[in-house]
Amino acid sequence: MIGTHNGTFHCDEALAVFLLRQTATYRDADLTRTRDPKLLDTCDIVVDVGAVYDAEKLRFDHHQREFDGVFGHGYTTKLSSAGLIYKHYGREIISNHLGLSPEDPKVETLWLKLYKEYIEAIDGVDNGVQQYPPEIQAKYRSRTDVSARVGWLNAAWNESVDSKSVDARFEKASKLVGEEFLSRLEYYGNAWLPARELVLNGLNGRSAVNPSGHIILFEQFCPWKAGALEMARQALTM
C-alpha cells in the first residue's frame, strides 16, 4: 500500500506514486490518500505527507521545516516527493523499463539526464524555487508546464466532489505526468543516447580527421547540438 495526502493534489506526489508503481515492489500497490497518521502507519511506503524523511522507514516527505535535501551531483534545487522517490528508485525504474542491467553505465547517465530535463523542474515548482532572480520581470506567463497541467485536474473551488471522485482525478493526474516521464525516458534511452555515442565517437576520433583536433567528422546524421556542444567544449579543453 502506498500512502499520500488527500485533498488538493500536486504534480510531485502524482509522479512519485507513478514512479513507485514502476518498481517491482510496488507495481501492483493500492493507494491510500489521507492525512490520518494512524492510516498512514498502515501503509508500506508514504510520500509527500507525514513530516518525515527516512528512506529506511520508507517515509518520503519534504514539508518539514528542517528538510533541505537535494539531488546532489551539482544540483541544488530542494527536492519534492517526486525528486525524493526518483533519487532512491530512479535507477531501478530506468533499468527495468529499458531492459538494461543495473550496472550498465547507461543507467547512471540516463538517471542524471532525466533529473536535469524533467524531475528538477517539478521539484522547483512544488517548492516555489524561481528559475531566475525575482527582479527580472517575465515577458509572458507560462501555465502549460506539466505541473500546471496536473493542477488543472483538481476540482474547481465551487465544484461538488467527494473523496472517491477526487481520488479518480488523482489517478488521472498520476497517469498524465507518469506517461510523460516514460516518454522522455524512452526518447533519451533510444534516441538521445545513440546520438550521444555518435558524437563521442566523433570527438574521440577528431585528431585522425585533422591534426588540430578542431574538426569533427560524423559518420551519419544525428541531432548533435543538444548536449553535444557541451561535450565538445569539454573535450577540446582537455
Short mmCIF file of all heavy atoms in Angstrom, two decimals, residues 46-92:
data_model
loop_
_atom_site.label_atom_id
_atom_site.label_comp_id
_atom_site.label_asym_id
_atom_site.label_seq_id
_atom_site.Cartn_x
_atom_site.Cartn_y
_atom_site.Cartn_z
N VAL A 46 5.17 5.84 2.29
CA VAL A 46 4.39 7.08 2.34
C VAL A 46 5.17 8.18 1.66
O VAL A 46 6.38 8.36 1.90
CB VAL A 46 4.09 7.48 3.80
CG1 VAL A 46 3.36 8.82 3.86
CG2 VAL A 46 3.26 6.40 4.49
N VAL A 47 4.48 8.97 0.81
CA VAL A 47 5.12 10.06 0.09
C VAL A 47 4.34 11.36 0.28
O VAL A 47 3.11 11.36 0.31
CB VAL A 47 5.27 9.76 -1.42
CG1 VAL A 47 6.13 8.52 -1.63
CG2 VAL A 47 3.91 9.57 -2.08
N ASP A 48 5.05 12.45 0.47
CA ASP A 48 4.52 13.81 0.45
C ASP A 48 3.60 14.13 1.62
O ASP A 48 2.85 15.11 1.58
CB ASP A 48 3.78 14.08 -0.87
CG ASP A 48 3.83 15.55 -1.26
OD1 ASP A 48 4.92 16.15 -1.15
OD2 ASP A 48 2.80 16.10 -1.67
N VAL A 49 3.68 13.37 2.68
CA VAL A 49 2.87 13.64 3.86
C VAL A 49 3.52 12.93 5.05
O VAL A 49 4.27 11.96 4.87
CB VAL A 49 1.41 13.13 3.66
CG1 VAL A 49 1.36 11.63 3.58
CG2 VAL A 49 0.49 13.67 4.75
N GLY A 50 3.25 13.45 6.25
CA GLY A 50 3.77 12.79 7.44
C GLY A 50 4.92 13.48 8.12
O GLY A 50 5.31 13.12 9.23
N ALA A 51 5.52 14.48 7.45
CA ALA A 51 6.61 15.28 8.04
C ALA A 51 7.82 14.44 8.44
O ALA A 51 8.51 14.76 9.42
CB ALA A 51 6.10 16.08 9.24
N VAL A 52 8.09 13.38 7.68
CA VAL A 52 9.25 12.54 7.95
C VAL A 52 9.92 12.17 6.63
O VAL A 52 9.24 11.76 5.68
CB VAL A 52 8.86 11.23 8.69
CG1 VAL A 52 10.08 10.31 8.83
CG2 VAL A 52 8.27 11.54 10.05
N TYR A 53 11.25 12.34 6.61
CA TYR A 53 12.03 11.78 5.51
C TYR A 53 13.01 10.79 6.12
O TYR A 53 13.96 11.18 6.80
CB TYR A 53 12.77 12.86 4.74
CG TYR A 53 13.83 12.30 3.79
CD1 TYR A 53 13.54 11.22 2.95
CD2 TYR A 53 15.11 12.84 3.73
CE1 TYR A 53 14.48 10.69 2.09
CE2 TYR A 53 16.07 12.33 2.86
CZ TYR A 53 15.75 11.25 2.04
OH TYR A 53 16.69 10.72 1.19
N ASP A 54 12.76 9.54 5.90
CA ASP A 54 13.61 8.46 6.40
C ASP A 54 13.50 7.31 5.40
O ASP A 54 12.53 6.57 5.40
CB ASP A 54 13.17 8.03 7.79
CG ASP A 54 14.15 7.06 8.44
OD1 ASP A 54 14.78 6.27 7.71
OD2 ASP A 54 14.29 7.09 9.68
N ALA A 55 14.51 7.20 4.54
CA ALA A 55 14.44 6.20 3.48
C ALA A 55 14.36 4.78 4.02
O ALA A 55 13.70 3.92 3.45
CB ALA A 55 15.66 6.35 2.56
N GLU A 56 15.03 4.52 5.16
CA GLU A 56 14.99 3.18 5.74
C GLU A 56 13.59 2.82 6.24
O GLU A 56 13.18 1.66 6.19
CB GLU A 56 16.00 3.07 6.87
CG GLU A 56 17.45 3.13 6.40
CD GLU A 56 18.43 2.88 7.52
OE1 GLU A 56 17.98 2.67 8.67
OE2 GLU A 56 19.65 2.89 7.26
N LYS A 57 12.87 3.83 6.71
CA LYS A 57 11.49 3.60 7.17
C LYS A 57 10.47 3.78 6.06
O LYS A 57 9.27 3.67 6.29
CB LYS A 57 11.17 4.54 8.33
CG LYS A 57 12.01 4.29 9.58
CD LYS A 57 11.63 5.26 10.70
CE LYS A 57 12.44 4.97 11.96
NZ LYS A 57 12.10 5.92 13.05
N LEU A 58 10.95 4.09 4.85
CA LEU A 58 10.09 4.26 3.67
C LEU A 58 9.11 5.42 3.85
O LEU A 58 7.93 5.32 3.49
CB LEU A 58 9.35 2.97 3.34
CG LEU A 58 10.25 1.74 3.08
CD1 LEU A 58 9.41 0.50 2.82
CD2 LEU A 58 11.21 1.99 1.91
N ARG A 59 9.64 6.50 4.38
CA ARG A 59 8.85 7.71 4.56
C ARG A 59 9.54 8.84 3.79
O ARG A 59 10.70 9.15 4.03
CB ARG A 59 8.71 8.08 6.04
CG ARG A 59 7.93 7.04 6.85
CD ARG A 59 6.50 6.93 6.36
NE ARG A 59 5.67 6.02 7.14
CZ ARG A 59 5.42 4.76 6.79
NH1 ARG A 59 5.98 4.25 5.69
NH2 ARG A 59 4.64 4.00 7.53
N PHE A 60 8.80 9.45 2.85
CA PHE A 60 9.40 10.39 1.91
C PHE A 60 8.59 11.69 1.85
O PHE A 60 7.89 11.95 0.87
CB PHE A 60 9.52 9.76 0.52
CG PHE A 60 10.43 8.58 0.46
CD1 PHE A 60 9.94 7.29 0.67
CD2 PHE A 60 11.78 8.74 0.22
CE1 PHE A 60 10.77 6.19 0.61
CE2 PHE A 60 12.64 7.64 0.16
CZ PHE A 60 12.13 6.37 0.36
N ASP A 61 8.69 12.49 2.90
CA ASP A 61 8.06 13.81 2.89
C ASP A 61 9.14 14.88 2.84
O ASP A 61 10.27 14.66 3.27
CB ASP A 61 7.18 14.01 4.12
CG ASP A 61 6.22 15.18 3.96
OD1 ASP A 61 6.07 15.69 2.82
OD2 ASP A 61 5.60 15.59 4.95
N HIS A 62 8.77 16.05 2.34
CA HIS A 62 9.74 17.15 2.21
C HIS A 62 9.22 18.44 2.82
O HIS A 62 9.86 19.49 2.68
CB HIS A 62 10.07 17.39 0.73
CG HIS A 62 8.91 17.93 -0.07
ND1 HIS A 62 8.86 19.23 -0.53
CD2 HIS A 62 7.76 17.35 -0.49
CE1 HIS A 62 7.72 19.40 -1.20
NE2 HIS A 62 7.04 18.27 -1.19
N HIS A 63 8.09 18.40 3.52
CA HIS A 63 7.46 19.62 4.02
C HIS A 63 7.98 20.06 5.38
O HIS A 63 7.72 21.20 5.80
CB HIS A 63 5.94 19.43 4.10
CG HIS A 63 5.31 19.27 2.75
ND1 HIS A 63 4.96 18.04 2.24
CD2 HIS A 63 4.97 20.19 1.81
CE1 HIS A 63 4.42 18.20 1.04
NE2 HIS A 63 4.43 19.49 0.75
N GLN A 64 8.68 19.19 6.09
CA GLN A 64 9.17 19.55 7.41
C GLN A 64 10.21 20.68 7.32
O GLN A 64 10.98 20.75 6.37
CB GLN A 64 9.75 18.33 8.13
CG GLN A 64 10.78 17.54 7.35
CD GLN A 64 10.19 16.51 6.41
OE1 GLN A 64 9.08 16.66 5.94
NE2 GLN A 64 10.93 15.46 6.14
N ARG A 65 10.17 21.56 8.30
CA ARG A 65 10.97 22.78 8.24
C ARG A 65 12.45 22.50 8.08
O ARG A 65 13.17 23.24 7.40
CB ARG A 65 10.72 23.62 9.50
CG ARG A 65 11.45 24.96 9.51
CD ARG A 65 10.97 25.82 10.66
NE ARG A 65 9.54 26.13 10.53
CZ ARG A 65 8.89 26.91 11.39
NH1 ARG A 65 9.51 27.46 12.42
NH2 ARG A 65 7.60 27.14 11.21
N GLU A 66 12.94 21.44 8.71
CA GLU A 66 14.38 21.17 8.69
C GLU A 66 14.85 20.47 7.40
O GLU A 66 16.05 20.31 7.18
CB GLU A 66 14.77 20.30 9.89
CG GLU A 66 14.24 18.88 9.86
CD GLU A 66 12.83 18.73 10.41
OE1 GLU A 66 12.16 19.76 10.61
OE2 GLU A 66 12.41 17.57 10.64
N PHE A 67 13.92 20.10 6.55
CA PHE A 67 14.31 19.37 5.35
C PHE A 67 15.05 20.28 4.37
O PHE A 67 14.58 21.36 4.02
CB PHE A 67 13.07 18.79 4.65
CG PHE A 67 13.41 18.01 3.40
CD1 PHE A 67 13.82 16.69 3.48
CD2 PHE A 67 13.32 18.60 2.15
CE1 PHE A 67 14.13 15.97 2.33
CE2 PHE A 67 13.64 17.90 1.00
CZ PHE A 67 14.05 16.58 1.10
N ASP A 68 16.19 19.82 3.90
CA ASP A 68 16.97 20.58 2.93
C ASP A 68 17.61 19.65 1.90
O ASP A 68 18.65 19.95 1.31
CB ASP A 68 18.04 21.42 3.62
CG ASP A 68 19.02 20.59 4.44
OD1 ASP A 68 18.85 19.34 4.50
OD2 ASP A 68 19.96 21.17 5.02
N GLY A 69 16.97 18.52 1.67
CA GLY A 69 17.54 17.53 0.76
C GLY A 69 17.57 17.99 -0.69
O GLY A 69 16.64 18.63 -1.18
N VAL A 70 18.66 17.67 -1.36
CA VAL A 70 18.82 17.97 -2.79
C VAL A 70 19.29 16.70 -3.49
O VAL A 70 19.68 15.72 -2.86
CB VAL A 70 19.83 19.12 -3.03
CG1 VAL A 70 19.35 20.41 -2.40
CG2 VAL A 70 21.21 18.75 -2.50
N PHE A 71 19.26 16.72 -4.81
CA PHE A 71 19.62 15.56 -5.61
C PHE A 71 21.12 15.29 -5.57
O PHE A 71 21.58 14.15 -5.68
CB PHE A 71 19.18 15.77 -7.05
CG PHE A 71 19.27 14.55 -7.92
CD1 PHE A 71 18.39 13.49 -7.75
CD2 PHE A 71 20.22 14.47 -8.92
CE1 PHE A 71 18.46 12.36 -8.55
CE2 PHE A 71 20.30 13.35 -9.74
CZ PHE A 71 19.42 12.30 -9.55
N GLY A 72 21.92 16.33 -5.38
CA GLY A 72 23.37 16.18 -5.45
C GLY A 72 23.85 16.27 -6.89
O GLY A 72 23.13 16.72 -7.77
N HIS A 73 25.09 15.86 -7.11
CA HIS A 73 25.67 15.86 -8.46
C HIS A 73 25.64 17.27 -9.07
O HIS A 73 25.48 17.44 -10.28
CB HIS A 73 24.94 14.88 -9.38
CG HIS A 73 24.93 13.47 -8.85
ND1 HIS A 73 25.98 12.60 -9.06
CD2 HIS A 73 24.02 12.81 -8.09
CE1 HIS A 73 25.70 11.44 -8.47
NE2 HIS A 73 24.52 11.55 -7.87
N GLY A 74 25.77 18.28 -8.22
CA GLY A 74 25.79 19.66 -8.69
C GLY A 74 24.44 20.35 -8.67
O GLY A 74 24.37 21.56 -8.89
N TYR A 75 23.37 19.62 -8.41
CA TYR A 75 22.03 20.22 -8.37
C TYR A 75 21.72 20.69 -6.95
O TYR A 75 21.97 19.98 -5.98
CB TYR A 75 20.98 19.21 -8.82
CG TYR A 75 21.16 18.79 -10.26
CD1 TYR A 75 21.80 17.60 -10.58
CD2 TYR A 75 20.71 19.60 -11.30
CE1 TYR A 75 21.98 17.22 -11.90
CE2 TYR A 75 20.89 19.23 -12.62
CZ TYR A 75 21.52 18.04 -12.92
OH TYR A 75 21.70 17.67 -14.22
N THR A 76 21.16 21.88 -6.85
CA THR A 76 20.91 22.48 -5.54
C THR A 76 19.43 22.77 -5.28
O THR A 76 19.09 23.33 -4.25
CB THR A 76 21.71 23.79 -5.39
OG1 THR A 76 21.32 24.71 -6.44
CG2 THR A 76 23.21 23.53 -5.51
N THR A 77 18.57 22.41 -6.21
CA THR A 77 17.14 22.63 -6.02
C THR A 77 16.61 21.67 -4.95
O THR A 77 16.88 20.47 -4.99
CB THR A 77 16.37 22.38 -7.34
OG1 THR A 77 16.87 23.28 -8.34
CG2 THR A 77 14.88 22.61 -7.16
N LYS A 78 15.86 22.21 -4.00
CA LYS A 78 15.29 21.39 -2.94
C LYS A 78 14.35 20.34 -3.55
O LYS A 78 13.57 20.62 -4.44
CB LYS A 78 14.51 22.27 -1.96
CG LYS A 78 13.90 21.55 -0.78
CD LYS A 78 13.17 22.52 0.12
CE LYS A 78 12.42 21.81 1.22
NZ LYS A 78 11.68 22.75 2.09
N LEU A 79 14.45 19.13 -3.03
CA LEU A 79 13.65 18.03 -3.57
C LEU A 79 12.20 18.10 -3.11
O LEU A 79 11.90 18.49 -1.99
CB LEU A 79 14.24 16.68 -3.13
CG LEU A 79 15.63 16.32 -3.66
CD1 LEU A 79 16.13 15.05 -2.99
CD2 LEU A 79 15.61 16.16 -5.17
N SER A 80 11.31 17.69 -3.99
CA SER A 80 9.92 17.43 -3.64
C SER A 80 9.79 15.92 -3.46
O SER A 80 10.79 15.18 -3.54
CB SER A 80 8.99 17.91 -4.76
OG SER A 80 9.18 17.12 -5.92
N SER A 81 8.58 15.42 -3.26
CA SER A 81 8.42 13.97 -3.14
C SER A 81 8.79 13.26 -4.44
O SER A 81 9.28 12.13 -4.42
CB SER A 81 6.99 13.62 -2.72
OG SER A 81 6.05 14.03 -3.69
N ALA A 82 8.57 13.93 -5.58
CA ALA A 82 8.97 13.33 -6.86
C ALA A 82 10.47 13.13 -6.91
O ALA A 82 10.97 12.06 -7.28
CB ALA A 82 8.50 14.21 -8.01
N GLY A 83 11.21 14.17 -6.56
CA GLY A 83 12.66 14.08 -6.57
C GLY A 83 13.19 13.06 -5.57
O GLY A 83 14.16 12.34 -5.84
N LEU A 84 12.54 12.97 -4.40
CA LEU A 84 12.97 12.00 -3.40
C LEU A 84 12.81 10.57 -3.91
O LEU A 84 13.73 9.75 -3.80
CB LEU A 84 12.17 12.18 -2.11
CG LEU A 84 12.59 13.33 -1.20
CD1 LEU A 84 11.57 13.53 -0.08
CD2 LEU A 84 13.97 13.07 -0.61
N ILE A 85 11.64 10.27 -4.44
CA ILE A 85 11.41 8.92 -4.95
C ILE A 85 12.32 8.63 -6.14
O ILE A 85 12.88 7.54 -6.26
CB ILE A 85 9.93 8.73 -5.33
CG1 ILE A 85 9.06 8.78 -4.08
CG2 ILE A 85 9.72 7.41 -6.08
CD1 ILE A 85 9.38 7.73 -3.03
N TYR A 86 12.49 9.61 -7.01
CA TYR A 86 13.37 9.41 -8.17
C TYR A 86 14.82 9.19 -7.72
O TYR A 86 15.52 8.34 -8.29
CB TYR A 86 13.29 10.60 -9.11
CG TYR A 86 14.10 10.43 -10.36
CD1 TYR A 86 13.67 9.61 -11.39
CD2 TYR A 86 15.32 11.08 -10.51
CE1 TYR A 86 14.42 9.42 -12.53
CE2 TYR A 86 16.09 10.90 -11.65
CZ TYR A 86 15.64 10.07 -12.66
OH TYR A 86 16.40 9.89 -13.80
N LYS A 87 15.25 9.93 -6.73
CA LYS A 87 16.63 9.78 -6.24
C LYS A 87 16.88 8.37 -5.73
O LYS A 87 17.94 7.79 -5.98
CB LYS A 87 16.89 10.80 -5.13
CG LYS A 87 18.32 10.77 -4.58
CD LYS A 87 18.54 11.90 -3.57
CE LYS A 87 19.98 11.89 -3.06
NZ LYS A 87 20.23 13.01 -2.13
N HIS A 88 15.91 7.80 -5.04
CA HIS A 88 16.09 6.48 -4.44
C HIS A 88 15.72 5.33 -5.37
O HIS A 88 16.30 4.24 -5.27
CB HIS A 88 15.27 6.38 -3.16
CG HIS A 88 15.83 7.19 -2.03
ND1 HIS A 88 16.82 6.73 -1.20
CD2 HIS A 88 15.55 8.46 -1.62
CE1 HIS A 88 17.12 7.66 -0.31
NE2 HIS A 88 16.36 8.73 -0.54
N TYR A 89 14.78 5.53 -6.27
CA TYR A 89 14.27 4.43 -7.09
C TYR A 89 14.47 4.64 -8.59
O TYR A 89 14.15 3.74 -9.38
CB TYR A 89 12.78 4.22 -6.82
CG TYR A 89 12.47 3.77 -5.42
CD1 TYR A 89 12.18 4.70 -4.42
CD2 TYR A 89 12.47 2.42 -5.08
CE1 TYR A 89 11.89 4.29 -3.12
CE2 TYR A 89 12.19 2.00 -3.79
CZ TYR A 89 11.91 2.95 -2.81
OH TYR A 89 11.62 2.54 -1.53
N GLY A 90 14.99 5.78 -8.99
CA GLY A 90 15.09 6.11 -10.40
C GLY A 90 15.95 5.14 -11.20
O GLY A 90 15.58 4.76 -12.32
N ARG A 91 17.06 4.72 -10.65
CA ARG A 91 17.93 3.80 -11.39
C ARG A 91 17.21 2.48 -11.65
O ARG A 91 17.31 1.92 -12.75
CB ARG A 91 19.21 3.55 -10.60
CG ARG A 91 20.13 4.76 -10.44
CD ARG A 91 21.37 4.33 -9.70
NE ARG A 91 22.32 5.40 -9.46
CZ ARG A 91 22.34 6.16 -8.36
NH1 ARG A 91 21.40 5.98 -7.42
NH2 ARG A 91 23.25 7.10 -8.20
N GLU A 92 16.51 1.98 -10.65
CA GLU A 92 15.76 0.73 -10.83
C GLU A 92 14.70 0.88 -11.91
O GLU A 92 14.51 -0.01 -12.75
CB GLU A 92 15.10 0.32 -9.52
CG GLU A 92 14.23 -0.93 -9.64
CD GLU A 92 13.39 -1.21 -8.40
OE1 GLU A 92 13.66 -0.60 -7.35
OE2 GLU A 92 12.46 -2.03 -8.51
#
